[in-house]
Amino acid sequence: MSTPITHTIVNLPDQATARIPKRNYINNEHGLLSWLLTGDHKRIAILYLISITFFFFIGGAFAGLIRLELLTPAPDLVSSDTYNKFFTMHGIIMIFLFLVPSVPATLGNFLIPIMIGAKDLAFPKINLLSWYLYVIGGILTLAALVLGGVDTGWTFTTPLSTHYLNTHVITAATAIFIAGFASIFTGLNFIVTIHRMRAPGMTWFRMPLFVWSNYAASILMVLGTPVLAITLVLVALERLIGIGVFDPTKGGDPLLFQHLFWFYSHPAVYIMILPGMGVISEVISTFSRKRVFGYTAVAFSSVAIALFGFFVWAHHMFIMGVSNYSALVFSLLTMLVAVPSAIKIFNWAFTLQKGSITFETPMLYAFAFIGLFTIGGLTGIFLGSLGMDIHLTETYFIVAHFHYVMVGGMLMAFLAGIHFWWPKMTGRMYPESLSKLSAVTSFIGFNLTFMPQFILGYLGMPRRYHAYPAEYQVLNVLSTAGATVLGVGFMLPLLYLGWSLKYGAIAGNNPWQATGLEWQIQSPPLTENFTEIPIIDYEAYDYEWLEKKQREEVTTVG
Amino acid sequence: MANSITSTGHVDHLEKLMPHESIINDEGEHVVLPQHRHHFETAEQQREAGSFGMWLFLLTEIMFFGGLFFAYLLYRNWYYPAFAVASNQLNVPEGAANTAILITSGFFMALGVWAAEVRKKKLLVLMLVFTTIFGVAFLGVKADEYHEKYEKHHIPGASFSTSMFTNPPVNPKTGKPDELPLAPDMAQHTEIFFFLYFAMTGMHAFHMIIGIVLLFWLTWRAHRGEFSSGYVAPIENFGLYWHFVDIVWLFLFPLLYLINRHPIH
Amino acid sequence: MGISPVLWQFLVKWLHNSSLFPAEASTISPYTDALYFFLLLMTIVGLILVCALVFGFSIRYRREKSPVATQIEGSTLLEATWTIIPLAIFLVTFVWGALLYFRIYDPPANAMNIYVVGKQWMWKAEHPGGQHEINALHVPSGRPVQLTMISQDVFHSFSIPDFRVKREVIPGRYTTVWFEATTPGTYHIFCTQYCGTQHSGMIGEVTVLTPEDYDKWTKQSTSGMSLAQNGERLFASMGCNACHSGSAAARGPNLAGVYGSKLTLTNGNQVLVNDAYLRDAILNPSEHVTAGFAPIMPTYQGQISEDGLIDIVEYIKNLQSNYRVQQTQMTSESNQAAPPTPTEGTTETVKP
């Protein structure tokens, strides 16, 4: 009992003795209907994972087509209308059908009940409904695509989208409207679950930071998405009846649309990034064997980002004729919203100090996140700075900025999370060397794709351009080359993760020796998660508690 | 010491933490209601979660309607003369009647919630029926109002006509027009008023229709006795929804109907 | 600027020649570039710092070297440090950016005015002297030029990267931007707000000429009628002079000298008569009735294009007395004599 602690890392799973548990949520019931009518949050998470992966690759295909066209300055691959549809579909699919649900609907759905010691989310049927709404939204988007596509840009700017295009705008708007409700119901479920279903002893400040981040994102989902919904309704009605609510020739105001649209779409970017930040907290702490540095600061920063995120929307409109003084206010608030993100980056960095660090794939993705999100976030400061924004807005600088935070940040975090919790969700390990190679490939490909775009942006190359002046070609070619590498880097996980389902090493309960309730139960978990509801009397990330528990387990077995 | 869940679903430990949550039947035994969902530890937790969820959902509805209210406030500020004259075209007696009807239906709904809590099945069913009747009455009056708009060519779109605003009709009783005429460009902005009128009341009516459909379903279930043995959450939560729809109307009525209730001088 | 001008020029020119940096062709460009280099420096320093921390700690505390982790809760001092220092830096960028913003969007009083109308998918530039250009803009170097812009259909955005200026071009209201070009040459004009099929075709060139060359160009390119003269024609053909005849008993107010003045409306408001007001008064007259007059002016919404509105606004701007525009020669002097855009706070009327 008094064995001195000589190490806090135990070796990765003991392959000889680990077995897939006889009864788990996957084999508990059989048949397609048992999946399609499930209430089990874990099964719904897997349903979501399959669907968003499907849409991710469709959106990615459009990205490939865009970069292919941009290899040459001339508009020679496809017609302009087709190109405009490419970037519109790429944006709509990637934002609404991939990024917004990515971590919350897959990892959040799977893990949040387990992390707080509950048996399921508060409203399992609404969870399932949320998935069906997502699928319907996705099908409608595909319908818009198949019927001929939509070319408004993902931002649906009026009066272009209401009066000057004859593509399937209403279909696309309806699709997003429906998918938005999927998001609202997920957020609503999370908030009620986190408030009401924590196990005894699981106080707010004992929850893992992943739960905090998803909670903050859920507030944004619940309060922001309805505004997008009503905005889309107004656009659709304007198109159908043409009464002029956004039409200046009839007394309407196109800037009203901008305000309503960005009131959601700015918080939307925080909906996308906050859950990813939650993943990073978990990964960094596990692979440093340490509690996250400044737990309270990180928790409050998540909520601060959510709160401040509601008040900065007009920084997307600095050059659109908002008054100089409102521009000042929004610029100042934008500077304030950047601070909590900086706080988190430093807290994660200092978590490494005096840790005991290993470099498995999730940790590599987490490092990529830290570097790339720093670049992406700081370039956001460029854009929040009024005079600088005048030159940079609507150029490739913006494209590079948001791809750095969304792909370099969010997508890397998503991959970190998928790899980290893959053993828990499937009971299998992924192949480590191949996954490391894939992470490095993605990192290199990503930078090669998007770093040149910062330069292009400062040079003045506008976004959404089908053709461009010849002197911009070299940078565009570099960017396309990078996109090819990036594509390979993203394709590999699809292949080896699929492979691992049958041939991967058995994981066991806790291959990473991590803290957290999800690692104390079997992999894959039981349908009801816990055989008995745990009582929590220890803090989050309590590695000393974990060590003590493992020693006790060893002695009691003997 | 870990909790254990006995075969009857009774949870030992948690009573001390939350003394009011368990349902006790007439013999003083703890029972689990058939509607108890197994991911909840106690019925109280389930009820509280359901209620919290409904409140959150209503918050999203506020944000949803909020966009329309914002647009209305903006344009009312910009085009006040047009909005004031257009608002005078709305039928205040019918709107006021609808307000009374909706408040009454809310009253019946509140009585229904009480009836469920004290397990009076017949009273509950009766209250739900009355709530539904008044809800349908509201929609009937609304339909009549919309029809009036149709006849006056005030429905936005191809058939919209501003002639009543540029050339106000003479009031036979006074021999003078009730309103001053609007200039043609200002008169055109009345179409925006009517669009927002139809959008806001239409969205509200849509929520009422959903509520009435739910009422039919709940009345049927109440008739079968599902809510007479202590399981009141659906009635309570629907009550919240119905009262919310009522409150939205209480904002719509003054904002749309009651601005400037005298002709422009 | 803080760093040696020689080094600066070298850096910028070298980068520009490598097609990695835009030319600095306006008086604003160096200011924008200065802020940009500051922000770049901040980013590089921030990135190096974060990477140093991450790599440093990872290497120093990797498992082989550090088998046992030390559980640390946090440090309020560190939290304060990395809250306050980033906040301070961000606030500096806020102030600097705000100053630059006002510099770019507040035109000097003596700027010459050129109208730009954006429509799908071309730019039309209209000089007051009557020169019309499509997808091109000729400007003199060394003089502030203001662009008064409006869209005929959807949102566009007028951008000259080498001047570091950009402004949204919106239907229904004028937006303005100004610049002073420094170096003769040709520079890109882009539309930067997605506007439909030919968005990437809505490009052009701004040609900066020396003042002498610019004079020559204005003489060569005029259509014969200045905008104001065209406006006078429209004013008559659309019947405006029936009410705005200038006589004492006229049904509409006298428009001579009204541009730049403060006007009192029937509802008691005081408004400054600038381009936007005049345009709005033609399209929505019932909201802009001058005190003492009846609201009988019909609306011209839908009957006049943005070009026509610009012509009439120019005409009214130049109206000093008696409704006859002096037939001036088509020299650049006519452009130089264009009245300055009134700014809020001035109450003087325009002096001839």
Side-chain angles (χ1 to χ4, degrees):
Chain A
M1 208 69 85
S2 57
T3 324
I5 303 174
T6 54
H7 57 268
T8 41
I9 291 223
V10 178
N11 281 327
L12 282 181
D14 181 357
Q15 315 289 35
T17 57
R19 277 181 151 39
I20 297 277
K22 272 217 179 67
R23 192 169 75 86
N24 57 58
Y25 77 97
I26 300 178
N27 63 19
N28 201 21
E29 293 173 278
H30 296 280
L32 188 61
L33 275 185
S34 77
W35 281 86
L36 292 181
L37 295 178
T38 183
D40 180 6
H41 64 103
K42 299 180 288 301
R43 285 187 163 206
I44 294 176
I46 300 297
L47 289 174
Y48 258 112
L49 182 58
I50 297 171
S51 353
I52 68 170
T53 306
F54 172 71
F55 283 108
F56 174 73
F57 282 102
I58 297 186
F62 281 118
L65 288 168
I66 292 172
R67 285 295 352 145
L68 201 56
E69 169 66 79
L70 292 178
L71 265 179
T72 59
D76 44 10
L77 189 68
V78 293
S79 73
S80 286
D81 276 332
T82 307
Y83 181 81
N84 294 341
K85 290 173 186 169
F86 284 170
F87 66 71
T88 303
M89 299 308 299
H90 171 70
I92 290 179
I93 292 177
M94 285 309 204
I95 291 176
F96 294 113
L97 297 179
F98 176 70
L99 281 169
V100 166
S102 60
V103 169
T106 57
L107 297 170
N109 260 334
F110 198 100
L111 296 164
I112 288 180
I114 303 178
M115 282 180 168
I116 61 173
K119 288 189 170 155
D120 204 320
L121 289 176
F123 308 118
K125 292 202 185 103
I126 294 199
N127 202 8
L128 184 66
L129 173 66
S130 156
W131 182 69
Y132 276 108
L133 289 175
Y134 170 85
V135 168
I136 293 173
I139 289 178
L140 272 175
T141 308
L142 288 179
L145 172 60
V146 161
L147 287 172
V150 116
D151 56 349
T152 55
W154 80 273
T155 44
F156 288 98
T157 307
T158 59
L160 181 69
S161 61
T162 47
H163 293 97
Y164 289 88
L165 292 174
N166 56 3
T167 51
H168 298 273
V169 178
I170 296 187
T171 314
T174 311
I176 305 307
F177 180 87
I178 295 176
F181 277 95
S183 184
I184 293 176
F185 288 143
T186 299
L188 195 148
N189 230 336
F190 284 179
I191 294 179
V192 177
T193 307
I194 294 171
H195 271 273
R196 288 270 174 246
M197 293 176 70
R198 284 169 283 124
M202 175 63 80
T203 62
W204 279 86
F205 289 98
R206 282 179 177 167
M207 293 194 309
L209 288 167
F210 180 78
V211 182
W212 275 98
S213 301
N214 277 280
Y215 179 73
S218 299
I219 296 178
L220 292 171
M221 281 190 241
V222 158
L223 292 180
T225 319
V227 180
L228 177 72
I230 196 67
T231 310
L232 291 172
V233 167
L234 285 173
V235 167
L237 286 176
E238 172 96 355
R239 249 182 108 74
L240 282 173
I241 314 177
I243 28 64
V245 71
F246 298 132
D247 183 357
T249 58
K250 297 191 180 152
D253 186 10
L255 231 51
L256 174 64
F257 171 82
Q258 295 292 318
H259 281 289
L260 288 173
F261 179 81
W262 287 111
F263 187 80
Y264 163 74
S265 298
H266 187 80
V269 315
Y270 298 119
I271 291 175
M272 296 188 258
I273 198 71
L274 276 168
M277 289 176 158
V279 172
I280 300 301
S281 288
E282 301 301 318
V283 169
I284 297 242
S285 84
T286 299
F287 293 97
S288 318
R289 321 281 319 143
K290 273 189 72 193
R291 181 173 165 80
V292 173
F293 190 95
Y295 172 101
T296 322
V298 176
F300 281 135
S301 293
S302 302
V303 179
I305 292 174
L307 225 55
F308 279 116
F310 266 117
F311 298 113
V312 298
W313 76 89
H315 68 216
H316 300 269
M317 301 162 61
F318 281 153
I319 70 166
M320 282 193 192
V322 293
S323 80
N324 285 358
Y325 301 101
S326 79
L328 274 178
V329 167
F330 281 104
S331 173
L332 181 62
L333 288 166
T334 305
M335 298 304 169
L336 294 183
V337 81
V339 173
S341 298
I343 292 176
K344 286 191 174 199
I345 293 276
F346 285 115
N347 273 300
W348 289 323
F350 269 83
T351 306
L352 299 169
Q353 190 206 27
K354 301 219 174 124
S356 176
I357 302 172
T358 54
F359 302 98
E360 283 83 348
T361 304
M363 193 59 153
L364 291 184
Y365 277 115
F367 282 175
F369 176 97
I370 291 184
L372 299 176
F373 180 78
T374 301
I375 297 176
L378 287 176
T379 52
I381 298 291
F382 285 58
L383 299 167
S385 175
L386 288 167
M388 195 74 253
D389 186 65
I390 292 178
H391 180 61
L392 294 176
T393 193
E394 299 171 348
T395 65
Y396 259 82
F397 196 93
I398 300 241
V399 177
H401 158 72
F402 66 67
H403 281 93
Y404 261 84
V405 281
M406 287 297 129
V407 180
M410 185 54 214
L411 185 50
M412 296 292 170
F414 177 70
L415 289 171
I418 292 291
H419 285 79
F420 184 58
W421 281 293
W422 190 255
K424 180 54 55 184
M425 295 194 291
T426 63
R428 301 264 180 184
M429 299 297 292
Y430 56 83
E432 183 66 40
S433 315
L434 188 52
S435 60
K436 281 197 169 95
L437 173 68
S438 165
V440 171
T441 309
S442 301
F443 183 79
I444 294 175
F446 174 82
N447 279 300
L448 192 53
T449 311
F450 292 106
M451 188 57 78
Q453 293 185 5
F454 281 124
I455 304 176
L456 277 172
Y458 204 79
L459 279 169
M461 178 170 169
R463 51 186 294 208
R464 299 170 164 169
Y465 255 37
H466 186 195
Y468 54 83
E471 63 259 35
Y472 298 156
Q473 183 172 18
V474 172
L475 290 165
N476 272 292
V477 169
L478 281 176
S479 183
T480 303
T484 319
V485 177
L486 187 60
V488 169
F490 286 150
M491 201 71 78
L492 283 174
L494 185 66
L495 299 173
Y496 65 68
L497 287 176
W499 173 90
S500 76
L501 287 175
K502 192 148 179 334
Y503 302 108
I506 310 279
N509 288 10
N510 196 352
W512 310 122
Q513 297 306 302
T515 61
L517 282 173
E518 76 270 27
W519 300 109
Q520 313 308 319
I521 60 176
Q522 64 181 57
S523 310
L526 292 167
T527 300
E528 62 267 30
N529 300 336
F530 302 99
T531 45
E532 46 184 58
I533 292 296
I535 298 193
I536 315 298
D537 55 5
Y538 47 90
E539 301 302 312
Y541 313 109
D542 195 336
Y543 284 89
E544 281 152 3
W545 172 89
L546 178 70
E547 180 75 5
K548 179 160 148 309
K549 183 166 179 291
Q550 281 164 344
R551 275 184 285 120
E552 281 170 4
E553 267 180 23
V554 168
T555 51
T556 47
V557 163
Chain B
M1 182 184 114
N3 288 343
S4 58
I5 301 180
T6 66
S7 54
T8 60
H10 168 55
V11 179
D12 292 45
H13 229 246
L14 292 175
E15 268 183 70
K16 299 205 183 84
L17 301 170
M18 296 179 282
H20 298 295
E21 86 289 6
S22 41
I23 311 288
I24 303 182
N25 70 4
D26 298 318
E27 288 85 35
E29 292 169 341
H30 297 276
V31 297
V32 171
L33 296 169
Q35 299 91 347
H36 178 85
R37 303 269 180 263
H38 291 285
H39 56 285
F40 288 111
E41 284 308 296
T42 66
E44 184 65 12
Q45 188 187 41
Q46 177 175 332
R47 191 170 146 158
E48 279 183 5
S51 182
F52 190 172
M54 179 51 80
W55 278 106
L56 259 186
F57 175 69
L58 296 179
L59 190 57
T60 71
E61 293 276 48
I62 292 178
M63 297 306 289
F64 186 67
F65 276 95
L68 287 174
F69 276 94
F70 179 69
Y72 177 78
L73 286 170
L74 179 76
Y75 287 124
R76 176 183 153 160
N77 197 276
W78 281 13
Y79 306 131
Y80 184 75
F83 271 48
V85 171
S87 149
N88 288 345
Q89 289 297 316
L90 297 182
N91 194 328
V92 168
E94 287 196 321
N98 259 351
T99 308
I101 290 173
L102 209 49
I103 293 181
T104 311
S105 89
F107 171 67
F108 284 124
M109 188 67 220
L111 276 181
V113 171
W114 177 76
E117 283 173 357
V118 299
R119 310 193 190 192
K120 290 183 189 299
K121 184 181 113 162
K122 287 216 180 70
L123 184 62
L124 169 62
V125 173
L126 190 63
M127 291 300 105
L128 288 177
V129 167
F130 275 144
T131 307
T132 313
I133 289 176
F134 277 81
V136 172
F138 177 93
L139 289 177
V141 172
K142 204 102 223 72
D144 186 59
E145 278 189 83
Y146 281 7
H147 181 71
E148 190 193 350
K149 297 285 156 297
Y150 171 72
E151 291 191 328
K152 286 197 204 170
H153 293 285
H154 285 159
I155 299 194
S159 65
F160 189 80
S161 156
T162 56
S163 55
M164 185 181 290
F165 302 110
T166 48
N167 253 330
V170 173
N171 184 342
K173 289 190 206 138
T174 62
K176 286 186 302 180
D178 279 331
E179 309 274 359
L180 289 177
L182 289 178
D185 54 303
M186 182 55 79
Q188 204 201 9
H189 298 320
T190 56
E191 193 175 10
I192 294 190
F193 173 86
F194 284 108
F195 169 68
L196 286 168
Y197 167 77
F198 279 106
M200 291 161 87
T201 58
M203 191 58 74
H204 176 260
F206 177 64
H207 282 79
M208 293 255 340
I209 293 173
I210 293 179
I212 290 174
V213 169
L214 287 172
L215 269 171
F216 276 117
W217 184 52
L218 286 174
T219 312
W220 168 248
R221 290 174 67 187
H223 176 69
R224 290 177 47 199
E226 283 184 40
F227 303 125
S228 324
S229 2
Y231 177 58
V232 301
I235 300 291
E236 279 184 341
N237 289 334
F238 179 79
L240 281 176
Y241 174 80
W242 193 252
H243 294 315
F244 171 76
V245 174
D246 198 348
I247 288 179
V248 171
W249 176 258
L250 290 177
F251 276 86
L252 286 183
F253 177 61
L255 278 178
L256 290 172
Y257 289 71
L258 298 181
I259 61 171
N260 187 53
R261 285 319 298 180
H262 53 84
I264 298 175
H265 294 303
Chain C
M1 226 68 62
I3 63 174
S4 149
V6 172
L7 184 60
W8 177 274
Q9 284 303 307
F10 178 73
L11 185 68
V12 168
K13 286 215 156 54
W14 176 74
L15 284 172
H16 175 56
N17 289 336
S18 321
S19 284
L20 291 174
F21 202 77
E24 284 189 335
S26 81
T27 53
I28 281 289
S29 308
Y31 289 96
T32 305
D33 291 347
L35 178 53
Y36 183 64
F37 287 130
F38 170 73
L39 286 165
L40 268 183
L41 187 66
M42 169 195 83
T43 307
I44 292 174
V45 167
L47 188 63
I48 290 180
L49 176 62
V50 169
C51 288
L53 286 173
V54 169
F55 283 119
F57 287 148
S58 304
I59 295 171
R60 164 67 188 88
Y61 295 105
R62 64 192 191 280
R63 174 181 23 167
E64 297 80 32
K65 286 283 179 248
S66 169
V68 183
T70 313
Q71 301 302 319
I72 303 177
E73 181 62 32
S75 153
T76 315
L77 176 63
L78 277 177
E79 299 289 348
T81 309
W82 59 56
T83 305
I84 293 176
I85 295 183
L87 181 62
I89 297 176
F90 298 161
L91 288 176
V92 166
T93 64
F94 162 67
V95 171
W96 193 336
L99 291 173
L100 181 58
Y101 185 84
F102 282 102
R103 214 187 262 272
I104 295 179
Y105 279 159
D106 276 346
N110 63 338
M112 63 181 265
N113 190 44
I114 301 177
Y115 294 94
V116 171
V117 175
K119 69 182 273 296
Q120 284 174 325
W121 286 282
M122 66 168 85
W123 295 108
K124 296 192 281 192
E126 296 168 16
H127 298 246
Q131 298 83 357
H132 292 259
E133 312 186 67
I134 293 202
N135 289 337
L137 184 64
H138 283 75
V139 294
S141 61
R143 284 199 56 205
V145 173
Q146 175 182 265
L147 301 179
T148 301
M149 308 182 285
I150 191 164
S151 164
Q152 247 175 247
D153 38 40
V154 298
F155 273 50
H156 301 277
S157 187
F158 190 85
S159 158
I160 306 176
D162 293 312
F163 294 176
R164 312 291 188 274
V165 296
K166 183 187 290 127
R167 188 82 187 210
E168 205 81 357
V169 175
I170 301 175
R173 64 170 90 170
Y174 289 127
T175 52
T176 61
V177 73
W178 81 276
F179 55 82
E180 179 178 325
T182 51
T183 323
T186 54
Y187 307 98
H188 288 298
I189 296 174
F190 293 128
C191 169
T192 56
Q193 178 62 252
Y194 175 62
C195 51
T197 309
Q198 283 303 323
H199 168 56
S200 44
M202 198 163 158
I203 61 178
E205 273 191 343
V206 56
T207 307
V208 178
L209 301 167
T210 61
E212 306 77 42
D213 287 339
Y214 181 74
D215 283 349
K216 287 202 210 102
W217 177 83
T218 49
K219 290 195 188 86
Q220 286 167 346
S221 346
T222 178
S223 58
M225 296 256 281
S226 72
L227 294 182
Q229 289 173 318
N230 212 33
E232 184 186 21
R233 235 179 12 90
L234 275 172
F235 195 80
S237 70
M238 303 202 74
C240 313
N241 51 9
C243 297
H244 294 283
S245 60
S247 68
R251 285 184 293 251
N254 184 354
L255 298 178
V258 76
Y259 186 79
S261 68
K262 265 235 159 88
L263 202 61
T264 310
L265 302 180
T266 46
N267 58 13
N269 289 349
Q270 285 238 309
V271 290
L272 176 67
V273 179
N274 54 15
D275 294 36
Y277 177 81
L278 287 175
R279 178 182 175 279
D280 224 26
I282 297 171
L283 296 177
N284 294 303
S286 61
E287 296 165 58
H288 305 287
V289 183
T290 308
F293 290 89
I296 52 170
M297 175 168 164
T299 173
Y300 289 86
Q301 181 89 13
Q303 298 174 37
I304 184 168
S305 70
E306 295 297 343
D307 301 296
L309 282 165
I310 286 173
D311 290 337
I312 293 188
V313 167
E314 260 303 287
Y315 169 63
I316 296 175
K317 262 193 206 174
N318 282 289
L319 217 41
Q320 301 311 323
S321 68
N322 224 8
Y323 298 93
R324 292 208 62 99
V325 173
Q326 266 76 18
Q327 282 280 9
T328 55
Q329 288 159 318
M330 291 307 107
T331 62
S332 54
E333 279 141 86
S334 73
N335 292 335
Q336 287 160 8
T341 308
T343 52
E344 284 293 338
T346 60
T347 49
E348 332 152 310
T349 53
V350 171
K351 303 280 185 288

